[in-house]
Amino acid sequence: MAMSLGQAGRVLVKPLRVVLQPPALLFNRSYTAIAEARAVLNGELESIRTAGTWKSERIISSKQGPHINVDGSRILNFCANNYLGLSSHPEVVQAGIDALKSYGAGLSSVRFICGTQDLHKNLEKKLAEFHEREDCILYASCFDANAGLFEVLLGPEDAVLSDELNHASIIDGIRLCRAKRLRYKHLDLRDLESKLKESQSSRMRLVVTDGVFSMDGDVAPLVGICDLAEQYGAMVFIDECHATGFLGPRGRGTDELLGVMERVDIVNSTLGKALGGAAGGYTVGPKPLIDLLRQRSRPYLFSNSLPPPVVGCATRAVELLLASSDIAHTMSAKTMRFRNKMTEAGFTISGSAHPICPVMLGDARLASLIADDMLKLGVYVIGFSFPVVPKGKARIRVQISVAHTDDDIDHCVDAFVQTARKHGVVS
Ligand code: PLP
């Protein structure tokens, strides 16, 4: 049926002329197509199970925090990115409630149509201030911020030089842009230099790296990267998802930790980890770049505005960090307590001084057995194996939070010693 307004404003309903296929034929066709698709999908699912890389999800029935309820038990949680414990901080939660009450659940719009509230502008201003950059643009996630940046900034006459272990969202974002792509070996300044030489003729060059790599907790050599970028006339971009809020003397991130805040041009980060843990991402950098992203960045232009409660929570989290560096300092003390105790007990912990503490075990099955046994002792940790990490480098990734007490950390170490002894990993 097609509808139109008649002269008196009444709705006129006209019969539509459509050629309908006999119902049985329609049914058979779609049935066959979906049956074929089901077979293909089930084959894929089976191959994931067979490869031992199936990712199952534990159902949490409480707030995120150091202690969570899973399957009716209260367990100690060491695998969230809740670095500063702000996910359920009372002031952060209250700010979300206040924003919900004053500004509603959501905007039902993208930013440029009718989806920008003073709340969004205020958070962008605070994030730019926090990172000491000219301007900031919010996205629904950092995945979106990474997906939306490179295509806008770089064209076919430009080049992007990317660490081979950068986060998946960076890899996808770079795939969307038309710049020449060069991958340099992980953290390898010599290889980066050779790629900078190779791309000398490009109009603009951008070196792209995670500030901290989430699988190893290793930190990008930003001083060397910035030196090379300066020498060869390139810009520097860092993804600070695992650094914002707690690395560096004031928690500004890897660039502050390594003393290169003025030398890193563009920073992307998330609101979904240390900054309250709700959701959202952003880019901070030069104003003309941020202005252009508002005009052209597809995940920004074609996706809904961040919901007010999410913005409210993140704003309070940033305000807490702007007001005091104490939380960031506590983070480093807790991290070192875990790392030192585990090393003394005979474990190898990858990375240095970062709250991502990968307990290296090598064998994938061993990592998964130890993680299961730890859960039986009430400690929730996750084993990572190939293809998430290289073959033979399976590990259990422990993430420390400011919200963990010293007792929580000691309990986790004890559980590791007990289970690892059982499996002959430590004596
Ligand atoms: N970049 C890095 C390094 C990450 O670890 C993540 C999240 O896992 C993202 C980007 C994506 O962040 P978000 O969860 O805000 O999309």
PDB file of all heavy atoms in Angstrom, residues 64-83:
ATOM      1  N   GLN A  64      31.227  -3.360  38.190  1.00  0.00           N
ATOM      2  CA  GLN A  64      32.640  -3.636  37.919  1.00  0.00           C
ATOM      3  C   GLN A  64      33.455  -3.170  39.125  1.00  0.00           C
ATOM      4  O   GLN A  64      33.162  -2.144  39.727  1.00  0.00           O
ATOM      5  CB  GLN A  64      33.077  -2.854  36.661  1.00  0.00           C
ATOM      6  CG  GLN A  64      34.492  -3.099  36.212  1.00  0.00           C
ATOM      7  CD  GLN A  64      34.746  -4.562  35.862  1.00  0.00           C
ATOM      8  OE1 GLN A  64      34.954  -5.390  36.760  1.00  0.00           O
ATOM      9  NE2 GLN A  64      34.730  -4.881  34.588  1.00  0.00           N
ATOM     10  N   GLY A  65      34.464  -3.936  39.502  1.00  0.00           N
ATOM     11  CA  GLY A  65      35.286  -3.532  40.641  1.00  0.00           C
ATOM     12  C   GLY A  65      36.267  -4.625  40.990  1.00  0.00           C
ATOM     13  O   GLY A  65      36.323  -5.666  40.319  1.00  0.00           O
ATOM     14  N   PRO A  66      37.038  -4.448  42.056  1.00  0.00           N
ATOM     15  CA  PRO A  66      38.017  -5.461  42.435  1.00  0.00           C
ATOM     16  C   PRO A  66      37.353  -6.763  42.896  1.00  0.00           C
ATOM     17  O   PRO A  66      37.940  -7.829  42.781  1.00  0.00           O
ATOM     18  CB  PRO A  66      38.795  -4.815  43.578  1.00  0.00           C
ATOM     19  CG  PRO A  66      37.974  -3.680  44.040  1.00  0.00           C
ATOM     20  CD  PRO A  66      37.116  -3.243  42.895  1.00  0.00           C
ATOM     21  N   HIS A  67      36.132  -6.651  43.420  1.00  0.00           N
ATOM     22  CA  HIS A  67      35.385  -7.852  43.810  1.00  0.00           C
ATOM     23  C   HIS A  67      34.095  -7.877  43.012  1.00  0.00           C
ATOM     24  O   HIS A  67      33.342  -6.895  43.027  1.00  0.00           O
ATOM     25  CB  HIS A  67      35.063  -7.836  45.312  1.00  0.00           C
ATOM     26  CG  HIS A  67      36.294  -7.790  46.164  1.00  0.00           C
ATOM     27  ND1 HIS A  67      36.841  -8.896  46.741  1.00  0.00           N
ATOM     28  CD2 HIS A  67      37.106  -6.753  46.507  1.00  0.00           C
ATOM     29  CE1 HIS A  67      37.935  -8.560  47.407  1.00  0.00           C
ATOM     30  NE2 HIS A  67      38.113  -7.251  47.280  1.00  0.00           N
ATOM     31  N   ILE A  68      33.842  -8.973  42.307  1.00  0.00           N
ATOM     32  CA  ILE A  68      32.630  -9.048  41.480  1.00  0.00           C
ATOM     33  C   ILE A  68      31.900 -10.365  41.748  1.00  0.00           C
ATOM     34  O   ILE A  68      32.509 -11.321  42.243  1.00  0.00           O
ATOM     35  CB  ILE A  68      32.960  -8.932  39.969  1.00  0.00           C
ATOM     36  CG1 ILE A  68      34.045  -9.943  39.565  1.00  0.00           C
ATOM     37  CG2 ILE A  68      33.354  -7.528  39.591  1.00  0.00           C
ATOM     38  CD1 ILE A  68      34.328  -9.992  38.077  1.00  0.00           C
ATOM     39  N   ASN A  69      30.618 -10.381  41.404  1.00  0.00           N
ATOM     40  CA  ASN A  69      29.831 -11.620  41.534  1.00  0.00           C
ATOM     41  C   ASN A  69      29.795 -12.332  40.182  1.00  0.00           C
ATOM     42  O   ASN A  69      29.380 -11.744  39.195  1.00  0.00           O
ATOM     43  CB  ASN A  69      28.392 -11.317  41.952  1.00  0.00           C
ATOM     44  CG  ASN A  69      28.323 -10.731  43.344  1.00  0.00           C
ATOM     45  OD1 ASN A  69      29.302 -10.782  44.098  1.00  0.00           O
ATOM     46  ND2 ASN A  69      27.187 -10.166  43.689  1.00  0.00           N
ATOM     47  N   VAL A  70      30.241 -13.565  40.178  1.00  0.00           N
ATOM     48  CA  VAL A  70      30.170 -14.384  38.968  1.00  0.00           C
ATOM     49  C   VAL A  70      29.633 -15.759  39.369  1.00  0.00           C
ATOM     50  O   VAL A  70      30.170 -16.379  40.304  1.00  0.00           O
ATOM     51  CB  VAL A  70      31.558 -14.542  38.302  1.00  0.00           C
ATOM     52  CG1 VAL A  70      31.491 -15.504  37.120  1.00  0.00           C
ATOM     53  CG2 VAL A  70      32.098 -13.202  37.833  1.00  0.00           C
ATOM     54  N   ASP A  71      28.590 -16.215  38.673  1.00  0.00           N
ATOM     55  CA  ASP A  71      27.987 -17.533  38.951  1.00  0.00           C
ATOM     56  C   ASP A  71      27.693 -17.712  40.443  1.00  0.00           C
ATOM     57  O   ASP A  71      28.032 -18.753  41.030  1.00  0.00           O
ATOM     58  CB  ASP A  71      28.924 -18.668  38.492  1.00  0.00           C
ATOM     59  CG  ASP A  71      29.051 -18.693  36.983  1.00  0.00           C
ATOM     60  OD1 ASP A  71      28.116 -18.200  36.326  1.00  0.00           O
ATOM     61  OD2 ASP A  71      30.082 -19.170  36.489  1.00  0.00           O
ATOM     62  N   GLY A  72      27.172 -16.688  41.058  1.00  0.00           N
ATOM     63  CA  GLY A  72      26.776 -16.803  42.463  1.00  0.00           C
ATOM     64  C   GLY A  72      27.924 -16.707  43.457  1.00  0.00           C
ATOM     65  O   GLY A  72      27.697 -16.777  44.659  1.00  0.00           O
ATOM     66  N   SER A  73      29.173 -16.559  42.982  1.00  0.00           N
ATOM     67  CA  SER A  73      30.290 -16.431  43.935  1.00  0.00           C
ATOM     68  C   SER A  73      30.888 -15.031  43.861  1.00  0.00           C
ATOM     69  O   SER A  73      30.877 -14.401  42.804  1.00  0.00           O
ATOM     70  CB  SER A  73      31.422 -17.409  43.603  1.00  0.00           C
ATOM     71  OG  SER A  73      30.928 -18.684  43.468  1.00  0.00           O
ATOM     72  N   ARG A  74      31.425 -14.603  44.970  1.00  0.00           N
ATOM     73  CA  ARG A  74      32.134 -13.321  45.019  1.00  0.00           C
ATOM     74  C   ARG A  74      33.597 -13.620  44.721  1.00  0.00           C
ATOM     75  O   ARG A  74      34.232 -14.444  45.418  1.00  0.00           O
ATOM     76  CB  ARG A  74      31.973 -12.754  46.442  1.00  0.00           C
ATOM     77  CG  ARG A  74      32.369 -11.327  46.590  1.00  0.00           C
ATOM     78  CD  ARG A  74      31.225 -10.405  46.270  1.00  0.00           C
ATOM     79  NE  ARG A  74      31.583  -9.009  46.490  1.00  0.00           N
ATOM     80  CZ  ARG A  74      31.211  -8.045  45.668  1.00  0.00           C
ATOM     81  NH1 ARG A  74      30.503  -8.290  44.592  1.00  0.00           N
ATOM     82  NH2 ARG A  74      31.550  -6.795  45.937  1.00  0.00           N
ATOM     83  N   ILE A  75      34.144 -13.018  43.670  1.00  0.00           N
ATOM     84  CA  ILE A  75      35.536 -13.342  43.321  1.00  0.00           C
ATOM     85  C   ILE A  75      36.372 -12.068  43.177  1.00  0.00           C
ATOM     86  O   ILE A  75      35.842 -10.981  42.966  1.00  0.00           O
ATOM     87  CB  ILE A  75      35.624 -14.176  42.011  1.00  0.00           C
ATOM     88  CG1 ILE A  75      34.914 -13.464  40.863  1.00  0.00           C
ATOM     89  CG2 ILE A  75      35.067 -15.564  42.202  1.00  0.00           C
ATOM     90  CD1 ILE A  75      35.122 -14.149  39.530  1.00  0.00           C
ATOM     91  N   LEU A  76      37.683 -12.264  43.284  1.00  0.00           N
ATOM     92  CA  LEU A  76      38.625 -11.161  43.152  1.00  0.00           C
ATOM     93  C   LEU A  76      38.938 -10.985  41.669  1.00  0.00           C
ATOM     94  O   LEU A  76      39.357 -11.936  41.008  1.00  0.00           O
ATOM     95  CB  LEU A  76      39.917 -11.547  43.866  1.00  0.00           C
ATOM     96  CG  LEU A  76      40.361 -10.770  45.070  1.00  0.00           C
ATOM     97  CD1 LEU A  76      41.646 -11.363  45.608  1.00  0.00           C
ATOM     98  CD2 LEU A  76      40.527  -9.310  44.780  1.00  0.00           C
ATOM     99  N   ASN A  77      38.775  -9.785  41.182  1.00  0.00           N
ATOM    100  CA  ASN A  77      38.865  -9.547  39.741  1.00  0.00           C
ATOM    101  C   ASN A  77      40.195  -8.875  39.369  1.00  0.00           C
ATOM    102  O   ASN A  77      40.475  -7.765  39.824  1.00  0.00           O
ATOM    103  CB  ASN A  77      37.678  -8.648  39.360  1.00  0.00           C
ATOM    104  CG  ASN A  77      37.687  -8.262  37.903  1.00  0.00           C
ATOM    105  OD1 ASN A  77      38.370  -8.877  37.098  1.00  0.00           O
ATOM    106  ND2 ASN A  77      36.915  -7.245  37.568  1.00  0.00           N
ATOM    107  N   PHE A  78      40.981  -9.538  38.526  1.00  0.00           N
ATOM    108  CA  PHE A  78      42.255  -8.963  38.084  1.00  0.00           C
ATOM    109  C   PHE A  78      42.332  -8.872  36.562  1.00  0.00           C
ATOM    110  O   PHE A  78      43.409  -8.985  35.994  1.00  0.00           O
ATOM    111  CB  PHE A  78      43.437  -9.790  38.619  1.00  0.00           C
ATOM    112  CG  PHE A  78      43.781  -9.450  40.029  1.00  0.00           C
ATOM    113  CD1 PHE A  78      43.214 -10.138  41.086  1.00  0.00           C
ATOM    114  CD2 PHE A  78      44.652  -8.407  40.312  1.00  0.00           C
ATOM    115  CE1 PHE A  78      43.518  -9.824  42.401  1.00  0.00           C
ATOM    116  CE2 PHE A  78      44.967  -8.079  41.626  1.00  0.00           C
ATOM    117  CZ  PHE A  78      44.399  -8.791  42.676  1.00  0.00           C
ATOM    118  N   CYS A  79      41.156  -8.735  35.917  1.00  0.00           N
ATOM    119  CA  CYS A  79      41.269  -8.648  34.453  1.00  0.00           C
ATOM    120  C   CYS A  79      40.433  -7.553  33.826  1.00  0.00           C
ATOM    121  O   CYS A  79      40.145  -7.606  32.635  1.00  0.00           O
ATOM    122  CB  CYS A  79      41.023  -9.999  33.805  1.00  0.00           C
ATOM    123  SG  CYS A  79      39.636 -10.899  34.420  1.00  0.00           S
ATOM    124  N   ALA A  80      40.111  -6.504  34.588  1.00  0.00           N
ATOM    125  CA  ALA A  80      39.421  -5.367  33.958  1.00  0.00           C
ATOM    126  C   ALA A  80      40.429  -4.247  33.711  1.00  0.00           C
ATOM    127  O   ALA A  80      41.500  -4.210  34.323  1.00  0.00           O
ATOM    128  CB  ALA A  80      38.303  -4.883  34.857  1.00  0.00           C
ATOM    129  N   ASN A  81      40.055  -3.344  32.805  1.00  0.00           N
ATOM    130  CA  ASN A  81      40.903  -2.167  32.557  1.00  0.00           C
ATOM    131  C   ASN A  81      40.497  -1.011  33.480  1.00  0.00           C
ATOM    132  O   ASN A  81      40.676   0.157  33.146  1.00  0.00           O
ATOM    133  CB  ASN A  81      40.721  -1.697  31.108  1.00  0.00           C
ATOM    134  CG  ASN A  81      41.098  -2.744  30.105  1.00  0.00           C
ATOM    135  OD1 ASN A  81      42.211  -3.264  30.128  1.00  0.00           O
ATOM    136  ND2 ASN A  81      40.179  -3.077  29.208  1.00  0.00           N
ATOM    137  N   ASN A  82      39.957  -1.360  34.628  1.00  0.00           N
ATOM    138  CA  ASN A  82      39.450  -0.373  35.583  1.00  0.00           C
ATOM    139  C   ASN A  82      40.617   0.132  36.434  1.00  0.00           C
ATOM    140  O   ASN A  82      40.598   0.057  37.663  1.00  0.00           O
ATOM    141  CB  ASN A  82      38.387  -1.093  36.435  1.00  0.00           C
ATOM    142  CG  ASN A  82      37.699  -0.199  37.435  1.00  0.00           C
ATOM    143  OD1 ASN A  82      37.696   1.022  37.306  1.00  0.00           O
ATOM    144  ND2 ASN A  82      37.115  -0.815  38.458  1.00  0.00           N
ATOM    145  N   TYR A  83      41.657   0.650  35.742  1.00  0.00           N
ATOM    146  CA  TYR A  83      42.938   0.942  36.397  1.00  0.00           C
ATOM    147  C   TYR A  83      42.810   1.812  37.647  1.00  0.00           C
ATOM    148  O   TYR A  83      43.485   1.581  38.635  1.00  0.00           O
ATOM    149  CB  TYR A  83      43.879   1.644  35.413  1.00  0.00           C
ATOM    150  CG  TYR A  83      44.270   0.779  34.238  1.00  0.00           C
ATOM    151  CD1 TYR A  83      43.830   1.081  32.949  1.00  0.00           C
ATOM    152  CD2 TYR A  83      45.068  -0.338  34.403  1.00  0.00           C
ATOM    153  CE1 TYR A  83      44.185   0.291  31.871  1.00  0.00           C
ATOM    154  CE2 TYR A  83      45.431  -1.138  33.328  1.00  0.00           C
ATOM    155  CZ  TYR A  83      44.988  -0.817  32.068  1.00  0.00           C
ATOM    156  OH  TYR A  83      45.332  -1.603  31.004  1.00  0.00           O
TER     157      TYR A  83
END
